[in-house]
């Protein structure tokens, strides 16, 4: 005995739904592509340091409205800088395995549209900061966007192996922006935390650059691992890790409490140990596993700035 299943009748509503489904899928894919231009993971990393810094500047809980403004304005600014970076770097992104799936190399977003998108985000971010914060925070926000795209992306990244060092200025700017938004000025503790993030970026990014050394070489980008020996790169990682931890410890006597100090010492010791472990593998000619340090560096920064937030509440 056979069973015959009748196909449901298809009406006008079903036809419309069938037509709309691909359109909705295309719209969703387009939205995801534009979000990808902003590099949301980098934005998230930048904001890790901003809120604790604002709490420290306010000596407690700052205005929640101000926090929201700075988070939205900072996200828009970082997204703008990253979208413009994708536009500028579209020629090298298409030859690097790590970046060839980004929206411009895959032709998901047209270069002109990416440029307009980045500029619109930049205008919105600066306007938001100008209306709801102060001139210093606004100027720092604009300066960070311009520095990242005009100084780092267009010039430093393509011309010198010191690009990561000097490029760290814009990556550390959220700390200063958060402090300035609360106080309208910059204090020694703000500069101390700026130094922590500034030095931290070198071991963090050098580990990533080791992993994708061949990519950068193929694109003609003179990242340090491309132009220097493995031992030299790992020695610099050790040096800048020590400088990162030293900067975090030097913030302690600037008015921080014992909770912050202990966390900075313990987390810093673990960070240094991991950097030395990577260096020893390089000396012995063993597989480096640089992404282990890369991921641990993110954990380190999160822990240290969580301690900043806790210290502000005590």
């Amino acid at each position: 005995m056979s069973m015959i299943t009748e196909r449901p009748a298809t009406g006008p509503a079903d036809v419309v739904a069938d037509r709309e489904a691909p359109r909705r899928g295309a719209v969703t894919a387009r939205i995801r592509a534009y979000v990808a231009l902003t590099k949301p993971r980098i934005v998230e990393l930048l904001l890790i340091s901003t809120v604790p810094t604002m709490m420290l500047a306010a000596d407690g809980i700052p205005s929640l409205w101000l926090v929201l403004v700075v988070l939205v304005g900072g996200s828009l600014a970082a997204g703008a800088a990253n979208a413009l970076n994708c536009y500028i770097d579209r020629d090298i992104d298409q030859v690097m395995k790590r970046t060839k799936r980004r929206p411009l190399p895959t032709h998901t977003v047209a270069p002109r549209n990416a440029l307009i998108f980045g500029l619109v985000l930049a205008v919105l971010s600066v306007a938001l900061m100008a209306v709801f914060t102060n001139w210093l925070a606004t100027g720092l926000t604009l300066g960070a966007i311009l520095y990242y795209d005009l100084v780092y992306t267009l010039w430093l990244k393509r011309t010198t192996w010191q690009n990561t060092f000097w490029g760290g200025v814009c990556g550390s700017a959220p700390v200063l922006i958060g402090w300035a938004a609360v106080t309208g000025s910059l204090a020694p503790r703000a500069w101390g935390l700026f130094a922590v993030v500034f030095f931290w970026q070198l071991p963090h990014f050098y580990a990533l650059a080791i992993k994708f050394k061949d990519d950068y070489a193929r694109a003609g980008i003179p990242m340090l691992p491309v132009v220097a020996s493995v031992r030299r790169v790992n020695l610099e990682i050790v040096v800048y890790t020590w400088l990162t931890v030293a900067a975090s410890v030097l913030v302690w006597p600037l008015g921080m409490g014992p909770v912050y100090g202990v966390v900075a010492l313990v987390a810093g010791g673990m960070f240094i140990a991991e950097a030395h472990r990577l260096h020893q593998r390089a000396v012995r000619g063993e597989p480096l596993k640089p992404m282990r340090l890369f991921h641990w560096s993110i954990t380190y920064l999160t822990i240290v700035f969580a301690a900043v937030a806790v210290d502000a509440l005590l």
Side-chain angles (χ1 to χ4, degrees):
M1 179 177 179
S2 62
M3 296 181 65
I4 300 176
T5 303
E6 294 184 0
R7 182 179 179 182
T10 301
D14 297 310
V15 174
V16 172
D18 289 342
R19 291 176 178 174
E20 288 296 328
R23 293 178 185 175
R24 288 195 297 269
V27 170
T28 301
R30 183 60 59 89
I31 292 173
R32 287 176 179 172
Y34 277 97
V35 171
L37 285 175
T38 68
K39 303 178 185 177
R41 290 184 180 180
I42 296 178
V43 173
E44 180 183 351
L45 189 60
L46 293 174
L47 297 180
I48 285 175
S49 60
T50 305
V51 175
T53 301
M54 293 181 71
M55 294 174 65
L56 187 64
D59 198 22
I61 302 295
S63 164
L64 295 182
W65 169 250
L66 182 61
V67 172
L68 179 62
V69 167
V70 172
L71 288 180
V72 174
S75 297
L76 290 173
N82 289 329
L84 294 172
N85 168 269
C86 286
Y87 171 77
I88 296 168
D89 277 352
R90 64 192 185 278
D91 59 327
I92 63 175
D93 281 351
Q94 64 185 355
V95 300
M96 294 178 62
K97 292 181 179 179
R98 184 172 70 91
T99 58
K100 68 179 181 180
R101 294 182 180 177
R102 286 177 178 173
L104 292 183
T106 59
H107 306 291
T108 309
V109 177
R112 180 176 179 273
N113 293 344
L115 175 61
I116 294 173
F117 178 64
L119 292 175
V120 169
L121 290 185
V123 170
L124 288 175
S125 65
V126 173
L128 186 66
M129 297 296 287
V131 172
F132 294 107
T133 62
N134 53 65
W135 70 267
L136 181 57
T138 302
L140 289 169
T141 301
L142 176 60
I145 297 172
L146 295 176
Y147 189 97
Y148 182 70
D149 289 313
L150 300 182
V151 178
Y152 172 73
T153 304
L154 270 176
W155 176 36
L156 295 172
K157 182 176 180 178
R158 296 167 182 257
T159 59
T160 174
W161 61 267
Q162 299 183 48
N163 49 26
T164 305
F165 180 87
W166 295 110
V169 172
C170 47
S172 311
V175 171
L176 301 182
I177 293 169
W179 190 284
V182 174
T183 66
S185 61
L186 296 174
R189 280 187 294 179
W191 287 108
L193 294 176
F194 173 89
V196 173
V197 181
F198 179 84
F199 289 124
W200 167 86
Q201 290 177 94
L202 286 114
H204 171 73
F205 191 75
Y206 280 160
L208 185 68
I210 290 173
K211 171 72 174 178
F212 296 102
K213 170 186 173 180
D214 293 340
D215 256 4
Y216 286 115
R218 188 181 303 110
I221 302 301
M223 294 295 178
L224 184 62
V226 174
V227 302
S229 68
V230 173
R231 290 191 181 187
R232 160 72 185 280
V233 176
N234 283 278
L235 179 60
E236 291 215 13
I237 285 176
V238 169
V239 170
Y240 284 115
T241 300
W242 273 95
L243 287 173
T244 301
V245 177
S248 71
V249 173
L250 289 175
V251 175
W252 190 359
L254 296 178
M256 307 297 288
V259 171
Y260 169 82
V262 171
V263 170
L265 288 172
V266 173
M270 296 174 69
F271 192 19
I272 289 172
E274 190 60 44
H276 277 278
R277 190 174 293 115
L278 179 63
H279 182 252
Q280 287 303 311
R281 286 196 290 266
V283 171
R284 293 192 295 263
E286 299 174 355
L288 294 180
K289 301 178 182 179
M291 296 307 287
R292 174 170 170 166
L293 177 66
F294 175 81
H295 292 301
W296 170 244
S297 69
I298 296 174
T299 302
Y300 164 80
L301 192 71
T302 304
I303 291 173
V304 168
F305 275 89
V308 172
V310 171
D311 192 273
L313 297 174
L314 296 179

